[in-house]
Structure formats: C-alpha cells, structure tokens
Amino acid sequence: MTSRTAGEPLVRLSAVDKWFGELHVLQDIDLSIDRGEVVVVIGPSGSGKSTLCRTVNRLEPIDSGEITIDGQRLPDEGRELARLRADVGMVFQSFNLFAHKTVLENVTLGPVKVRKQPKGDAERRARELLDRVGVGSQADKYPAQLSGGQQQRVAIARALAMDPKVMLFDEPTSALDPEMINEVLDVMTALARDGMTMVVVTHEMGFARRAANRVVFMDGGRIVESATPETFFTRPQSDRAKDFLAKILTH
Amino acid sequence: MDFVSENADLFVDAFLATLGLSLLAGLLALVLGTLLAAMRVSPVPPLRGLATFYVETFRNTPLTVVFFFLIFGLPQIDFVIGFFSGAVLSVGLYTAAFVCEAVRSGINAVAAGQAEAARALGLTFGQSLREVVLPQAFRTVVPPLGNVLIAMVKNTSIAAGFSVSELSSLLPRLVNADAGDLTLVLVGVVVGYMVITLPSALAVNRIERRVAILR
C-alpha cells in the first residue's frame, strides 16, 4: 500500500462525459469527494444523478474523462475492475439482494468469494453487521420474506461487509413504503456519523440537511450547484435550483 | 411367447445402448450447452461470436447430417471414431445448441440487478455467473430443459441408421425376422423409450418444485 497525502480526494471525476445514444447524460462533470465526506446528489428525474452514481464503480462506463478512486484510475474491465469494485460499496434502489441466498449468505458471499475470508469469520462479521442495521433476527430467511425496509438494510450490511472505502447509494429509499423510509435513513445517518465516505442520490431532503456535508444539484446532465446543505437550501444560486426547491419543499 | 424369450437379450442390450447413449450425450449437452450459454452472455465479443456460430450451425443442421459428418466425414481427414462414440458426440453436440438457448433464456430472465449487485461486490464475471446468475437461471429453465432432454432421448434413435444397436434398430431387425409380431416389437420399443423419458419427466417436475424460489 502506498501512503497517500491526506488532502487527496478519495473519489475524483474529471471532465466526465457520457452519452446514451443521442442523449448527453453526463456533461463535463468535475467532482471530488474527500475521505469521510457525505455528498448528497439531488435533482429532477432524468438529470443524470443516478448515472453519475453508477459511473463511480463503472456499472456505467463513461465516454470520456477520468475517474479515480483512492488515486487509482478505474480500470476498463476484468479482474482489476472487480478488485476496485470490492472497495466501493453500492446500495441500489431495488435492493438487488440475491434471491436464491439467505440473508446471511447474501452478506457473506463477497467476503468469502472476493476477500477469501474463512466462512466462519465472515459469518460472525455478517451477524454483527446485521445486528447493527437491526435485522439480526432475520439472518436465515430469504430476501422475499422480508419487508422492503429490512431488505434495504440487509443490502447495506452486504456492502459494509466488504469494508468499502466509499459507499454509493442510488435512490435507496425510492422503492420503499413511506413508513419504512426512516428505518433505512437512520442506518445511513449513523453510517455518515461514523465517518463513512458516502455518495447518496436521493429525494430525501431531510436526510440531505441532516447528514450531508455537501449537496450537489444536477440538471440536464450537468452539476449546476455544489454547496453546503445550509447554503443550498436557504440561498440557492441558480434559477433552476430555486425552481426545483420551490416544487419539492412546498408540501 | 417364444419370440419374447428368444430376443430378450437383444432387447436388453438395445435398451442399455439407448440408455447409455442418452446419459452420455445428455451429460455432454448439459455441460457444453451451459458453457456456450456463458460464452454467449460474456463481455468478450470473440467468445460471443464463437458460441453464436456454434449454436446457429448445429441448430440449423439436421441431426442425421451431423451423424454423417462425424461418422463418415471425419474419417476423410483421418479422424476415425467408432459408431457408438460418433453417436454420443453427434447427439451431444447437436443437443448442446438447444441446451445453450434454453439456459440463455433463463439467464436473460434473471433480473439485471442481480448481476449488477454481484459485480458491484467485486465478483468477477465468472463468479457472478456461477454464484448468482446461473443458480437462478437453472430454476427457470428446468421445464424447457426437460423438453430438450426428452427430445434428445428420442433423437438417439437416429443412431440406428449408423450401426448402433439401440432400441429403434430392433424394429427392422425383429420385424424382418418375424413379421407376425410387429405389434409386440413396437410396444416393446416404445415402452423402452418411456422407461427412460417418463422418469425423467417426473424427475423434472420434482426438481421444478424443489428449486422453485420466492421472488
């Protein structure tokens, strides 16, 4: 391991462009995320915020520009990319728990197959993590037997089991019933407080105010504003952001 | 009943030949077909192209022609294989194309998010296929795979035309020997195939129920 200077950002996107066919979904994106920083990405649907999140572990390849994680450029494909992805936790909107595996197996799969941890150690750690996110008693059930909120907390535990350097959350509460949103946000807030580096794409403005160090507002494939939650929510600079906030904060 | 007792050995040998042919060709088809399906969904274009070429070649060639090619064509380039091995290879290679397509349809039926989650954890392409995608794909392909394998058992009858003494080869031989017992021979042969295919169908049903998964 090479030692890194403390000031170097953990995740850096420079001049990133991406097209979906004719659609220019990401336009000249520059974004740096420091260690321990919690960045919340908001914006209207179709603004490219999910795509942005998914480029960080190359679930979406980019057309030009550069993305580095911990100083290392994202490899194109193959084992190098897999190794780098192991250090980047990801939580999806639709949970994506492995349907044929128990909750415990979902959490131990990565540590056993990728990190080559002994099964016993991985299970012990998995149970700790499941307890931490409040679903320890569900360890031997299958994902379909759990509520959405429980499934998403298992998904968070599954990502944490890899000891990731950074966690990506792609609209983690958008598929949840309203009464289950808070149990997931509580887990995320606790993570943020513990110093996890996080990129969170969400529509939960309460979470953004409470847990974010920085809010990034996207529209039309561009980063329009980047500010502290306090500044962004009280004194947005761009008309587009003012318009967006007026629409979502009125009720 | 002299006819039956006189030909019992012949019948048992023929049945065992069909059974052996089915088991060996089935094994070859399942392994090769799964491998081909993995190639067809792989991120490596040459592998995809190769597997697609294989599938289209074998799927669109009559099985009899495959037999001809392997048993009479290969010796032309000094590669001689026995009739039985030739039959196993012909049926196995041919059926692999159909197994591949059944398994591939199963892979496509697995939600894309499953493979994404596996890749996001750092699993390699092979690992995510083995650990996450294929186990779920096989659950949905049990019924179509059952069809493919039952069709394969019946396809082994083409080996009769290539000097393999399997069940169907009894028909011309025994009917010529004693035309009066045509019905008996026919029933015997059909029952012989059913002894193989019906338990397979039952097994498929049981497997289907066992592996059914909550989604």
Side-chain angles (χ1 to χ4, degrees), chain A residues 54 57 59 79 82 85-86 88 90 92 96-101 109-110 113-114 116 144-145 158 162, chain B residues 43 112-124 127 130-133 135-136 139 213-215:
Chain A
R54 290 163 57 85
N57 64 354
L59 282 183
R79 283 174 194 284
R85 278 175 174 154
V88 180
M90 177 128 196
F92 300 86
N96 295 346
L97 292 180
F98 305 128
H100 63 304
K101 291 188 179 293
L109 182 69
K113 295 292 170 187
V114 179
K116 311 293 179 198
Q145 295 169 295
R158 175 175 70 178
M162 299 297 288
Chain B
Q114 296 283 312
E116 275 188 356
R119 280 186 288 150
L121 274 182
L123 270 67
T124 60
Q127 283 177 322
R130 257 196 324 277
E131 300 291 333
V132 174
V133 178
Q136 295 185 63
R139 288 170 159 90
I213 188 89
L214 291 162
R215 280 184 208 269

Side-chain angles (χ1 to χ4, degrees), chain B residues 174-200:
Chain B
L174 293 185
V175 169
N176 285 341
D178 194 338
D181 287 301
L182 173 64
T183 321
L184 201 58
V185 178
L186 269 177
V187 169
V189 167
V190 169
V191 167
Y193 280 107
M194 283 186 164
V195 167
I196 299 173
T197 53
L198 277 183
S200 321

Side-chain angles (χ1 to χ4, degrees), chain A residues 158-216:
Chain A
R158 175 175 70 178
L160 286 175
M162 299 297 288
D163 294 315
K165 293 173 179 167
V166 52
M167 290 269 286
L168 310 173
F169 293 82
D170 184 7
E171 302 204 27
T173 57
S174 298
L176 294 175
D177 291 337
E179 75 266 29
M180 292 168 187
I181 289 177
N182 280 332
E183 64 192 49
V184 172
L185 291 180
D186 287 347
V187 169
M188 291 168 58
T189 308
L191 261 183
R193 211 179 296 128
D194 292 347
M196 175 61 75
T197 309
M198 294 162 64
V199 179
V200 185
V201 175
T202 187
H203 296 291
E204 295 298 327
M205 299 304 146
F207 174 80
R209 281 174 191 273
R210 191 164 66 240
N213 300 111
R214 185 150 53 109
V215 172
V216 168

